[in-house]
Amino acid sequence: MNVNEKNPFFQLSCNDEKKKAPLPPDPRNAVTIAISPRTLFNMVAESQIYQTEGVEKYIDYQVEHENEIMQPGDSMPFVKALMTVNARLRELYPESEELFDIVLMTNSHAQVGVRIINSINHYNLTIERFCMTGGQSPIGYLKAYNTNLYLSKDPEKVTEAIKQEIAAATMYSPDYERELSDSQLRVAFDGDAVLFSDESERVTKQGGLVRFFEHEKKNEDIPLGQGPLKGFLEALGKLQKKFYAKDERNDCPIRTFLVTARSASSSGARVIKTLRSWGLEIDEALFAAGAPKGPLLRKIKPHIFFDDQMFNIQGAKKMGTISAHVPYGISQNYSAHSLSPQSGQSYQQQQSGQSYQQQQTYQQPPGQTYQQQTGSTYQQQPFQQSYQAHLTQ
């Protein structure tokens, strides 16, 4: 605890700030980010009790410790950056409801809510909407809460959300903490199977790089389909334009990055033309041409980095980047040994000590299509949800 927090005058000042905390925006107009408590707070010890001793012991522990403030989790810097953007928007547009709205989404029981509320208030966060489902999956409520993005530590829940065409990702802790911007929200996206559909990745997996380059050249002027995070980038772009309208482009508190393994000259034009066809801008486009993304992310220092391939998530973690895995597209068929959000290791690594690259040797069975392997055509279809569609639901 900060020594100043023992000062009664400091406590009164904090209380005054909390009393003046702004109300959340109208969810019909907001960009809604749903997060789980395990991403917002460090709940490793609590999760261990739940897994080893059961739900009743977990509830008892949370109730007994409800006056103990939980430590920040992986999404805390991201959430604080969202609130910084909101503060800037309120300065420029005092009556506007186009803001970020944060919803706490959990399958925890209501009894544990007091500790969560106490911790949220301690960090002076504006999170007023909760969904606590008492042991049942909360995913069915995401659309009811008009969710634009869902972040969790539970890969199964994230996959369930993706199947419902809701932008979602599993958060992974960095190997070490880095200082992040407190004045600008910085979000980094992979391209294929994140912003865009997995069309091109399927070509690569099934025909190799030569076939991929031929395909991209042939289809350069045909926009790629939408990926799971396209709607979220669209929402960020909409808020950015509000700053541009006030001549704040050079001081905009939102900055977006495309960090793709594509080569610029061989396959980059289609990506840029696709974004242009959507009417979307990306602030910085970084084409790695197959090189590791970690060093680029170390320079960017994003509050969150989205990627569909666990190999890239692992590389980002090693560079101190808070990463979020998007379980979408054909690459999931080749990433069966995913990392554990808690341990940072894959199951096979934990059992045998193999590196992730050693695991990535799976080949598509001869004569078998992706649909035949999965029994589903879902992941071959581009996302249809957009920010505008969200606002009219």
Side-chain angles (χ1 to χ4, degrees):
M1 178 179 288
N2 189 309
V3 291
N4 287 331
E5 294 181 13
K6 297 178 181 179
N7 187 319
F9 296 103
F10 178 86
Q11 292 174 348
L12 286 172
S13 175
C14 289
N15 289 336
D16 288 342
E17 287 182 10
K18 291 175 183 177
K19 289 177 183 177
K20 296 176 183 178
L23 294 174
D26 186 329
R28 293 172 296 181
N29 301 317
V31 178
T32 301
I33 313 296
I35 59 174
S36 74
R38 286 201 295 153
T39 69
L40 187 59
F41 302 113
N42 184 335
M43 298 180 64
V44 173
E46 290 82 356
S47 296
Q48 185 68 20
I49 293 172
Y50 182 89
Q51 294 167 6
T52 59
E53 301 183 43
V55 63
E56 297 303 324
K57 292 292 185 181
Y58 167 77
I59 292 173
D60 290 343
Y61 178 88
Q62 291 286 51
V63 171
E64 290 170 6
H65 295 79
E66 64 185 23
N67 291 320
E68 295 179 14
I69 303 302
M70 291 183 280
Q71 293 299 306
D74 296 329
S75 71
M76 181 69 79
F78 177 64
V79 168
K80 287 191 172 183
L82 297 177
M83 295 182 63
T84 295
V85 175
N86 279 357
R88 287 283 305 279
L89 283 168
R90 284 189 169 104
E91 290 175 3
L92 297 175
Y93 302 92
E95 303 302 321
S96 177
E97 293 283 355
E98 291 182 296
L99 303 163
F100 290 111
D101 185 25
I102 303 159
V103 176
L104 194 92
M105 188 76 58
T106 176
N107 63 349
S108 291
H109 291 70
Q111 292 95 317
V112 309
V114 173
R115 190 181 187 198
I116 295 173
I117 291 170
N118 288 342
S119 296
I120 285 173
N121 289 337
H122 174 82
Y123 295 107
N124 202 24
L125 305 177
T126 304
I127 304 178
E128 299 293 350
R129 295 202 292 158
F130 279 33
C131 178
M132 308 184 74
T133 58
Q136 302 300 308
S137 173
I139 302 306
Y141 286 96
L142 290 173
K143 288 187 177 179
Y145 278 84
N146 295 322
T147 302
N148 291 93
L149 175 67
Y150 171 60
L151 299 175
S152 174
K153 286 278 189 178
D154 188 330
E156 291 184 4
K157 289 187 178 67
V158 168
T159 299
E160 188 181 348
I162 287 282
K163 288 180 179 179
Q164 294 188 20
E165 295 196 351
I166 294 169
T170 308
M171 295 198 74
Y172 288 84
S173 302
D175 289 358
Y176 58 92
E177 293 185 7
R178 305 183 66 214
E179 186 175 347
L180 303 177
S181 173
D182 58 2
S183 61
Q184 184 180 65
L185 170 65
R186 301 170 71 85
V187 183
F189 300 90
D190 178 32
D192 296 291
V194 176
L195 291 179
F196 315 117
S197 72
D198 69 336
E199 168 200 327
S200 298
E201 286 196 349
R202 282 188 278 120
V203 172
T204 305
K205 291 288 192 278
Q206 296 170 354
L209 280 176
V210 173
R211 177 72 184 92
F212 164 75
F213 291 134
E214 292 173 349
H215 178 268
E216 293 305 290
K217 189 66 176 177
K218 178 182 178 181
N219 296 282
E220 180 178 311
D221 295 319
I222 300 175
L224 288 155
Q226 299 180 23
L229 272 294
K230 184 260 188 177
F232 182 54
L233 175 63
E234 193 173 16
L236 293 177
K238 185 177 178 67
L239 294 181
Q240 282 180 309
K241 289 178 180 178
K242 293 176 74 69
F243 290 99
Y244 302 165
K246 296 288 188 178
D247 198 26
E248 296 268 342
R249 179 182 283 268
N250 292 333
D251 193 31
C252 181
I254 303 173
R255 193 160 186 85
T256 56
F257 303 80
L258 172 66
V259 185
T260 174
R262 284 176 177 249
S263 303
S265 59
S266 303
S267 57
R270 192 180 185 195
V271 164
I272 295 171
K273 290 182 178 181
T274 295
L275 291 171
R276 184 187 301 162
S277 73
W278 291 346
L280 298 182
E281 295 182 33
I282 200 88
D283 292 307
E284 298 187 29
L286 307 176
F287 294 86
K293 297 181 181 181
L296 298 176
L297 293 166
R298 181 171 58 186
K299 175 65 172 66
I300 293 170
K301 296 183 180 179
H303 291 92
I304 192 166
F305 164 60
F306 296 98
D307 202 290
D308 67 303
Q309 301 201 47
M310 292 306 304
F311 177 75
N312 291 325
I313 297 294
Q314 187 180 49
K317 278 167 42 63
K318 289 180 178 179
M319 293 294 179
T321 299
I322 300 170
S323 305
H325 178 242
V326 182
Y328 175 80
I330 192 172
S331 289
Q332 308 317 305
N333 235 41
Y334 296 78
S335 303
H337 300 274
S338 59
L339 298 174
S340 161
Q342 297 296 343
S343 70
Q345 286 187 312
S346 72
Y347 175 77
Q348 185 167 339
Q349 282 177 301
Q350 294 174 41
Q351 298 301 314
S352 66
Q354 281 186 309
S355 71
Y356 186 80
Q357 286 175 310
Q358 288 175 313
Q359 297 172 33
Q360 292 297 89
T361 57
Y362 312 112
Q363 300 295 323
Q364 181 174 332
Q368 193 173 29
T369 67
Y370 177 62
Q371 180 179 350
Q372 288 171 329
Q373 292 179 58
T374 62
S376 171
T377 61
Y378 170 74
Q379 288 183 320
Q380 298 185 56
Q381 304 301 322
F383 261 53
Q384 298 303 316
Q385 188 181 39
S386 69
Y387 182 61
Q388 283 85 357
H390 154 74
L391 291 181
T392 58
Q393 286 177 349

PDB file of all heavy atoms in Angstrom, residues 359-386:
ATOM      1  N   GLN A 359       6.713 -28.408 -31.795  1.00  0.00           N
ATOM      2  CA  GLN A 359       5.365 -28.971 -31.855  1.00  0.00           C
ATOM      3  C   GLN A 359       4.700 -28.681 -33.190  1.00  0.00           C
ATOM      4  O   GLN A 359       3.833 -29.423 -33.630  1.00  0.00           O
ATOM      5  CB  GLN A 359       4.507 -28.358 -30.756  1.00  0.00           C
ATOM      6  CG  GLN A 359       4.994 -28.671 -29.358  1.00  0.00           C
ATOM      7  CD  GLN A 359       4.203 -27.877 -28.348  1.00  0.00           C
ATOM      8  OE1 GLN A 359       3.028 -27.613 -28.555  1.00  0.00           O
ATOM      9  NE2 GLN A 359       4.829 -27.494 -27.267  1.00  0.00           N
ATOM     10  N   GLN A 360       5.097 -27.554 -33.862  1.00  0.00           N
ATOM     11  CA  GLN A 360       4.400 -27.110 -35.044  1.00  0.00           C
ATOM     12  C   GLN A 360       4.800 -27.906 -36.281  1.00  0.00           C
ATOM     13  O   GLN A 360       5.332 -27.382 -37.246  1.00  0.00           O
ATOM     14  CB  GLN A 360       4.656 -25.623 -35.274  1.00  0.00           C
ATOM     15  CG  GLN A 360       4.012 -24.746 -34.219  1.00  0.00           C
ATOM     16  CD  GLN A 360       2.515 -24.879 -34.228  1.00  0.00           C
ATOM     17  OE1 GLN A 360       1.975 -25.739 -33.551  1.00  0.00           O
ATOM     18  NE2 GLN A 360       1.840 -24.080 -35.008  1.00  0.00           N
ATOM     19  N   THR A 361       4.577 -29.201 -36.256  1.00  0.00           N
ATOM     20  CA  THR A 361       4.933 -30.041 -37.385  1.00  0.00           C
ATOM     21  C   THR A 361       3.723 -30.764 -37.959  1.00  0.00           C
ATOM     22  O   THR A 361       3.866 -31.657 -38.776  1.00  0.00           O
ATOM     23  CB  THR A 361       5.972 -31.105 -36.957  1.00  0.00           C
ATOM     24  OG1 THR A 361       5.429 -31.874 -35.875  1.00  0.00           O
ATOM     25  CG2 THR A 361       7.257 -30.431 -36.490  1.00  0.00           C
ATOM     26  N   TYR A 362       2.519 -30.366 -37.554  1.00  0.00           N
ATOM     27  CA  TYR A 362       1.318 -31.042 -38.001  1.00  0.00           C
ATOM     28  C   TYR A 362       1.057 -30.739 -39.469  1.00  0.00           C
ATOM     29  O   TYR A 362       1.178 -29.606 -39.909  1.00  0.00           O
ATOM     30  CB  TYR A 362       0.110 -30.601 -37.167  1.00  0.00           C
ATOM     31  CG  TYR A 362       0.386 -30.634 -35.699  1.00  0.00           C
ATOM     32  CD1 TYR A 362       0.457 -29.448 -34.972  1.00  0.00           C
ATOM     33  CD2 TYR A 362       0.642 -31.827 -35.046  1.00  0.00           C
ATOM     34  CE1 TYR A 362       0.755 -29.464 -33.634  1.00  0.00           C
ATOM     35  CE2 TYR A 362       0.932 -31.844 -33.704  1.00  0.00           C
ATOM     36  CZ  TYR A 362       0.990 -30.661 -33.001  1.00  0.00           C
ATOM     37  OH  TYR A 362       1.291 -30.671 -31.673  1.00  0.00           O
ATOM     38  N   GLN A 363       0.687 -31.736 -40.211  1.00  0.00           N
ATOM     39  CA  GLN A 363       0.368 -31.578 -41.617  1.00  0.00           C
ATOM     40  C   GLN A 363      -1.078 -31.968 -41.869  1.00  0.00           C
ATOM     41  O   GLN A 363      -1.616 -32.869 -41.227  1.00  0.00           O
ATOM     42  CB  GLN A 363       1.292 -32.460 -42.486  1.00  0.00           C
ATOM     43  CG  GLN A 363       2.777 -32.126 -42.330  1.00  0.00           C
ATOM     44  CD  GLN A 363       3.081 -30.731 -42.831  1.00  0.00           C
ATOM     45  OE1 GLN A 363       2.503 -30.276 -43.817  1.00  0.00           O
ATOM     46  NE2 GLN A 363       3.997 -30.048 -42.164  1.00  0.00           N
ATOM     47  N   GLN A 364      -1.678 -31.302 -42.840  1.00  0.00           N
ATOM     48  CA  GLN A 364      -3.059 -31.632 -43.178  1.00  0.00           C
ATOM     49  C   GLN A 364      -3.098 -33.031 -43.791  1.00  0.00           C
ATOM     50  O   GLN A 364      -2.299 -33.349 -44.662  1.00  0.00           O
ATOM     51  CB  GLN A 364      -3.586 -30.619 -44.188  1.00  0.00           C
ATOM     52  CG  GLN A 364      -5.028 -30.856 -44.582  1.00  0.00           C
ATOM     53  CD  GLN A 364      -5.523 -29.730 -45.461  1.00  0.00           C
ATOM     54  OE1 GLN A 364      -5.042 -28.619 -45.354  1.00  0.00           O
ATOM     55  NE2 GLN A 364      -6.460 -30.030 -46.325  1.00  0.00           N
ATOM     56  N   PRO A 365      -3.999 -33.895 -43.332  1.00  0.00           N
ATOM     57  CA  PRO A 365      -4.102 -35.228 -43.898  1.00  0.00           C
ATOM     58  C   PRO A 365      -4.345 -35.165 -45.401  1.00  0.00           C
ATOM     59  O   PRO A 365      -5.107 -34.331 -45.877  1.00  0.00           O
ATOM     60  CB  PRO A 365      -5.314 -35.840 -43.169  1.00  0.00           C
ATOM     61  CG  PRO A 365      -5.398 -35.069 -41.899  1.00  0.00           C
ATOM     62  CD  PRO A 365      -4.930 -33.684 -42.237  1.00  0.00           C
ATOM     63  N   PRO A 366      -3.649 -36.011 -46.207  1.00  0.00           N
ATOM     64  CA  PRO A 366      -3.798 -35.972 -47.663  1.00  0.00           C
ATOM     65  C   PRO A 366      -5.249 -36.125 -48.089  1.00  0.00           C
ATOM     66  O   PRO A 366      -5.972 -36.995 -47.592  1.00  0.00           O
ATOM     67  CB  PRO A 366      -2.952 -37.171 -48.127  1.00  0.00           C
ATOM     68  CG  PRO A 366      -1.986 -37.410 -47.004  1.00  0.00           C
ATOM     69  CD  PRO A 366      -2.725 -37.036 -45.755  1.00  0.00           C
ATOM     70  N   GLY A 367      -5.650 -35.274 -49.015  1.00  0.00           N
ATOM     71  CA  GLY A 367      -6.993 -35.389 -49.583  1.00  0.00           C
ATOM     72  C   GLY A 367      -8.105 -34.944 -48.677  1.00  0.00           C
ATOM     73  O   GLY A 367      -9.273 -35.120 -48.981  1.00  0.00           O
ATOM     74  N   GLN A 368      -7.771 -34.355 -47.545  1.00  0.00           N
ATOM     75  CA  GLN A 368      -8.807 -33.971 -46.593  1.00  0.00           C
ATOM     76  C   GLN A 368      -8.921 -32.457 -46.532  1.00  0.00           C
ATOM     77  O   GLN A 368      -7.928 -31.759 -46.409  1.00  0.00           O
ATOM     78  CB  GLN A 368      -8.461 -34.498 -45.184  1.00  0.00           C
ATOM     79  CG  GLN A 368      -9.634 -34.403 -44.206  1.00  0.00           C
ATOM     80  CD  GLN A 368      -9.298 -35.078 -42.898  1.00  0.00           C
ATOM     81  OE1 GLN A 368      -8.146 -35.130 -42.514  1.00  0.00           O
ATOM     82  NE2 GLN A 368     -10.288 -35.584 -42.207  1.00  0.00           N
ATOM     83  N   THR A 369     -10.101 -31.933 -46.647  1.00  0.00           N
ATOM     84  CA  THR A 369     -10.310 -30.496 -46.598  1.00  0.00           C
ATOM     85  C   THR A 369     -10.434 -30.049 -45.159  1.00  0.00           C
ATOM     86  O   THR A 369     -10.657 -30.843 -44.258  1.00  0.00           O
ATOM     87  CB  THR A 369     -11.589 -30.096 -47.353  1.00  0.00           C
ATOM     88  OG1 THR A 369     -12.717 -30.624 -46.647  1.00  0.00           O
ATOM     89  CG2 THR A 369     -11.582 -30.622 -48.775  1.00  0.00           C
ATOM     90  N   TYR A 370     -10.331 -28.727 -44.970  1.00  0.00           N
ATOM     91  CA  TYR A 370     -10.487 -28.178 -43.619  1.00  0.00           C
ATOM     92  C   TYR A 370     -11.856 -28.490 -43.063  1.00  0.00           C
ATOM     93  O   TYR A 370     -12.009 -28.838 -41.905  1.00  0.00           O
ATOM     94  CB  TYR A 370     -10.258 -26.664 -43.667  1.00  0.00           C
ATOM     95  CG  TYR A 370     -10.462 -25.994 -42.339  1.00  0.00           C
ATOM     96  CD1 TYR A 370      -9.652 -26.323 -41.259  1.00  0.00           C
ATOM     97  CD2 TYR A 370     -11.460 -25.047 -42.166  1.00  0.00           C
ATOM     98  CE1 TYR A 370      -9.824 -25.705 -40.036  1.00  0.00           C
ATOM     99  CE2 TYR A 370     -11.636 -24.437 -40.938  1.00  0.00           C
ATOM    100  CZ  TYR A 370     -10.816 -24.765 -39.892  1.00  0.00           C
ATOM    101  OH  TYR A 370     -11.000 -24.159 -38.686  1.00  0.00           O
ATOM    102  N   GLN A 371     -12.875 -28.416 -43.915  1.00  0.00           N
ATOM    103  CA  GLN A 371     -14.228 -28.711 -43.447  1.00  0.00           C
ATOM    104  C   GLN A 371     -14.323 -30.155 -42.973  1.00  0.00           C
ATOM    105  O   GLN A 371     -14.949 -30.465 -41.959  1.00  0.00           O
ATOM    106  CB  GLN A 371     -15.227 -28.459 -44.576  1.00  0.00           C
ATOM    107  CG  GLN A 371     -16.679 -28.750 -44.158  1.00  0.00           C
ATOM    108  CD  GLN A 371     -17.660 -28.465 -45.272  1.00  0.00           C
ATOM    109  OE1 GLN A 371     -17.293 -27.891 -46.288  1.00  0.00           O
ATOM    110  NE2 GLN A 371     -18.885 -28.869 -45.083  1.00  0.00           N
ATOM    111  N   GLN A 372     -13.664 -31.079 -43.703  1.00  0.00           N
ATOM    112  CA  GLN A 372     -13.722 -32.480 -43.308  1.00  0.00           C
ATOM    113  C   GLN A 372     -12.999 -32.714 -41.986  1.00  0.00           C
ATOM    114  O   GLN A 372     -13.390 -33.561 -41.193  1.00  0.00           O
ATOM    115  CB  GLN A 372     -13.087 -33.347 -44.406  1.00  0.00           C
ATOM    116  CG  GLN A 372     -13.945 -33.441 -45.670  1.00  0.00           C
ATOM    117  CD  GLN A 372     -13.204 -34.106 -46.813  1.00  0.00           C
ATOM    118  OE1 GLN A 372     -11.988 -34.005 -46.920  1.00  0.00           O
ATOM    119  NE2 GLN A 372     -13.944 -34.798 -47.660  1.00  0.00           N
ATOM    120  N   GLN A 373     -11.923 -31.957 -41.750  1.00  0.00           N
ATOM    121  CA  GLN A 373     -11.185 -32.137 -40.501  1.00  0.00           C
ATOM    122  C   GLN A 373     -11.992 -31.665 -39.300  1.00  0.00           C
ATOM    123  O   GLN A 373     -11.975 -32.287 -38.249  1.00  0.00           O
ATOM    124  CB  GLN A 373      -9.877 -31.335 -40.540  1.00  0.00           C
ATOM    125  CG  GLN A 373      -8.861 -31.858 -41.543  1.00  0.00           C
ATOM    126  CD  GLN A 373      -7.639 -30.987 -41.518  1.00  0.00           C
ATOM    127  OE1 GLN A 373      -7.018 -30.845 -40.466  1.00  0.00           O
ATOM    128  NE2 GLN A 373      -7.275 -30.398 -42.628  1.00  0.00           N
ATOM    129  N   THR A 374     -12.672 -30.533 -39.450  1.00  0.00           N
ATOM    130  CA  THR A 374     -13.336 -29.938 -38.301  1.00  0.00           C
ATOM    131  C   THR A 374     -14.794 -30.337 -38.177  1.00  0.00           C
ATOM    132  O   THR A 374     -15.390 -30.187 -37.125  1.00  0.00           O
ATOM    133  CB  THR A 374     -13.287 -28.408 -38.403  1.00  0.00           C
ATOM    134  OG1 THR A 374     -13.999 -28.004 -39.583  1.00  0.00           O
ATOM    135  CG2 THR A 374     -11.855 -27.907 -38.475  1.00  0.00           C
ATOM    136  N   GLY A 375     -15.383 -30.783 -39.289  1.00  0.00           N
ATOM    137  CA  GLY A 375     -16.803 -31.105 -39.264  1.00  0.00           C
ATOM    138  C   GLY A 375     -17.664 -29.873 -39.260  1.00  0.00           C
ATOM    139  O   GLY A 375     -18.854 -29.924 -38.973  1.00  0.00           O
ATOM    140  N   SER A 376     -17.087 -28.724 -39.551  1.00  0.00           N
ATOM    141  CA  SER A 376     -17.836 -27.476 -39.506  1.00  0.00           C
ATOM    142  C   SER A 376     -17.285 -26.513 -40.526  1.00  0.00           C
ATOM    143  O   SER A 376     -16.088 -26.492 -40.785  1.00  0.00           O
ATOM    144  CB  SER A 376     -17.734 -26.862 -38.105  1.00  0.00           C
ATOM    145  OG  SER A 376     -18.270 -25.563 -38.110  1.00  0.00           O
ATOM    146  N   THR A 377     -18.146 -25.709 -41.113  1.00  0.00           N
ATOM    147  CA  THR A 377     -17.719 -24.678 -42.052  1.00  0.00           C
ATOM    148  C   THR A 377     -17.634 -23.327 -41.367  1.00  0.00           C
ATOM    149  O   THR A 377     -17.328 -22.336 -42.002  1.00  0.00           O
ATOM    150  CB  THR A 377     -18.720 -24.556 -43.220  1.00  0.00           C
ATOM    151  OG1 THR A 377     -20.013 -24.192 -42.684  1.00  0.00           O
ATOM    152  CG2 THR A 377     -18.830 -25.866 -43.968  1.00  0.00           C
ATOM    153  N   TYR A 378     -17.857 -23.293 -40.059  1.00  0.00           N
ATOM    154  CA  TYR A 378     -17.974 -22.002 -39.359  1.00  0.00           C
ATOM    155  C   TYR A 378     -16.743 -21.115 -39.561  1.00  0.00           C
ATOM    156  O   TYR A 378     -16.848 -19.963 -39.946  1.00  0.00           O
ATOM    157  CB  TYR A 378     -18.200 -22.207 -37.865  1.00  0.00           C
ATOM    158  CG  TYR A 378     -18.073 -20.907 -37.117  1.00  0.00           C
ATOM    159  CD1 TYR A 378     -19.078 -19.954 -37.193  1.00  0.00           C
ATOM    160  CD2 TYR A 378     -16.926 -20.603 -36.395  1.00  0.00           C
ATOM    161  CE1 TYR A 378     -18.956 -18.736 -36.557  1.00  0.00           C
ATOM    162  CE2 TYR A 378     -16.797 -19.395 -35.766  1.00  0.00           C
ATOM    163  CZ  TYR A 378     -17.809 -18.475 -35.843  1.00  0.00           C
ATOM    164  OH  TYR A 378     -17.671 -17.277 -35.213  1.00  0.00           O
ATOM    165  N   GLN A 379     -15.550 -21.672 -39.310  1.00  0.00           N
ATOM    166  CA  GLN A 379     -14.371 -20.832 -39.307  1.00  0.00           C
ATOM    167  C   GLN A 379     -13.938 -20.414 -40.706  1.00  0.00           C
ATOM    168  O   GLN A 379     -13.079 -19.570 -40.860  1.00  0.00           O
ATOM    169  CB  GLN A 379     -13.226 -21.535 -38.584  1.00  0.00           C
ATOM    170  CG  GLN A 379     -13.479 -21.578 -37.073  1.00  0.00           C
ATOM    171  CD  GLN A 379     -12.342 -22.184 -36.325  1.00  0.00           C
ATOM    172  OE1 GLN A 379     -11.759 -23.160 -36.767  1.00  0.00           O
ATOM    173  NE2 GLN A 379     -11.999 -21.633 -35.177  1.00  0.00           N
ATOM    174  N   GLN A 380     -14.555 -21.002 -41.733  1.00  0.00           N
ATOM    175  CA  GLN A 380     -14.228 -20.568 -43.075  1.00  0.00           C
ATOM    176  C   GLN A 380     -15.024 -19.335 -43.470  1.00  0.00           C
ATOM    177  O   GLN A 380     -14.742 -18.704 -44.473  1.00  0.00           O
ATOM    178  CB  GLN A 380     -14.523 -21.691 -44.082  1.00  0.00           C
ATOM    179  CG  GLN A 380     -13.681 -22.947 -43.845  1.00  0.00           C
ATOM    180  CD  GLN A 380     -13.912 -23.965 -44.925  1.00  0.00           C
ATOM    181  OE1 GLN A 380     -13.736 -23.690 -46.097  1.00  0.00           O
ATOM    182  NE2 GLN A 380     -14.341 -25.139 -44.533  1.00  0.00           N
ATOM    183  N   GLN A 381     -16.035 -18.995 -42.676  1.00  0.00           N
ATOM    184  CA  GLN A 381     -16.905 -17.876 -43.026  1.00  0.00           C
ATOM    185  C   GLN A 381     -16.402 -16.595 -42.372  1.00  0.00           C
ATOM    186  O   GLN A 381     -16.044 -16.583 -41.202  1.00  0.00           O
ATOM    187  CB  GLN A 381     -18.346 -18.157 -42.552  1.00  0.00           C
ATOM    188  CG  GLN A 381     -18.913 -19.469 -43.093  1.00  0.00           C
ATOM    189  CD  GLN A 381     -18.939 -19.499 -44.605  1.00  0.00           C
ATOM    190  OE1 GLN A 381     -19.225 -18.497 -45.244  1.00  0.00           O
ATOM    191  NE2 GLN A 381     -18.638 -20.644 -45.177  1.00  0.00           N
ATOM    192  N   PRO A 382     -16.364 -15.485 -43.130  1.00  0.00           N
ATOM    193  CA  PRO A 382     -15.953 -14.217 -42.528  1.00  0.00           C
ATOM    194  C   PRO A 382     -16.993 -13.717 -41.555  1.00  0.00           C
ATOM    195  O   PRO A 382     -18.179 -14.002 -41.689  1.00  0.00           O
ATOM    196  CB  PRO A 382     -15.842 -13.279 -43.741  1.00  0.00           C
ATOM    197  CG  PRO A 382     -16.775 -13.864 -44.749  1.00  0.00           C
ATOM    198  CD  PRO A 382     -16.710 -15.350 -44.542  1.00  0.00           C
ATOM    199  N   PHE A 383     -16.529 -12.981 -40.554  1.00  0.00           N
ATOM    200  CA  PHE A 383     -17.454 -12.371 -39.602  1.00  0.00           C
ATOM    201  C   PHE A 383     -18.335 -11.371 -40.324  1.00  0.00           C
ATOM    202  O   PHE A 383     -17.879 -10.613 -41.167  1.00  0.00           O
ATOM    203  CB  PHE A 383     -16.661 -11.652 -38.501  1.00  0.00           C
ATOM    204  CG  PHE A 383     -16.527 -12.465 -37.255  1.00  0.00           C
ATOM    205  CD1 PHE A 383     -16.039 -13.753 -37.297  1.00  0.00           C
ATOM    206  CD2 PHE A 383     -16.886 -11.936 -36.042  1.00  0.00           C
ATOM    207  CE1 PHE A 383     -15.902 -14.487 -36.147  1.00  0.00           C
ATOM    208  CE2 PHE A 383     -16.750 -12.670 -34.869  1.00  0.00           C
ATOM    209  CZ  PHE A 383     -16.269 -13.955 -34.934  1.00  0.00           C
ATOM    210  N   GLN A 384     -19.613 -11.346 -39.955  1.00  0.00           N
ATOM    211  CA  GLN A 384     -20.536 -10.406 -40.578  1.00  0.00           C
ATOM    212  C   GLN A 384     -20.850  -9.231 -39.668  1.00  0.00           C
ATOM    213  O   GLN A 384     -21.424  -8.246 -40.093  1.00  0.00           O
ATOM    214  CB  GLN A 384     -21.850 -11.124 -40.942  1.00  0.00           C
ATOM    215  CG  GLN A 384     -21.646 -12.251 -41.945  1.00  0.00           C
ATOM    216  CD  GLN A 384     -20.996 -11.779 -43.230  1.00  0.00           C
ATOM    217  OE1 GLN A 384     -21.351 -10.739 -43.783  1.00  0.00           O
ATOM    218  NE2 GLN A 384     -20.023 -12.540 -43.711  1.00  0.00           N
ATOM    219  N   GLN A 385     -20.479  -9.349 -38.387  1.00  0.00           N
ATOM    220  CA  GLN A 385     -20.834  -8.294 -37.426  1.00  0.00           C
ATOM    221  C   GLN A 385     -19.962  -7.064 -37.638  1.00  0.00           C
ATOM    222  O   GLN A 385     -18.765  -7.160 -37.839  1.00  0.00           O
ATOM    223  CB  GLN A 385     -20.637  -8.801 -36.000  1.00  0.00           C
ATOM    224  CG  GLN A 385     -21.163  -7.834 -34.952  1.00  0.00           C
ATOM    225  CD  GLN A 385     -20.923  -8.375 -33.557  1.00  0.00           C
ATOM    226  OE1 GLN A 385     -19.906  -8.944 -33.282  1.00  0.00           O
ATOM    227  NE2 GLN A 385     -21.880  -8.179 -32.679  1.00  0.00           N
ATOM    228  N   SER A 386     -20.547  -5.901 -37.639  1.00  0.00           N
ATOM    229  CA  SER A 386     -19.805  -4.653 -37.729  1.00  0.00           C
ATOM    230  C   SER A 386     -20.264  -3.732 -36.618  1.00  0.00           C
ATOM    231  O   SER A 386     -21.249  -4.002 -35.934  1.00  0.00           O
ATOM    232  CB  SER A 386     -20.037  -3.971 -39.080  1.00  0.00           C
ATOM    233  OG  SER A 386     -21.369  -3.498 -39.169  1.00  0.00           O
TER     234      SER A 386
END
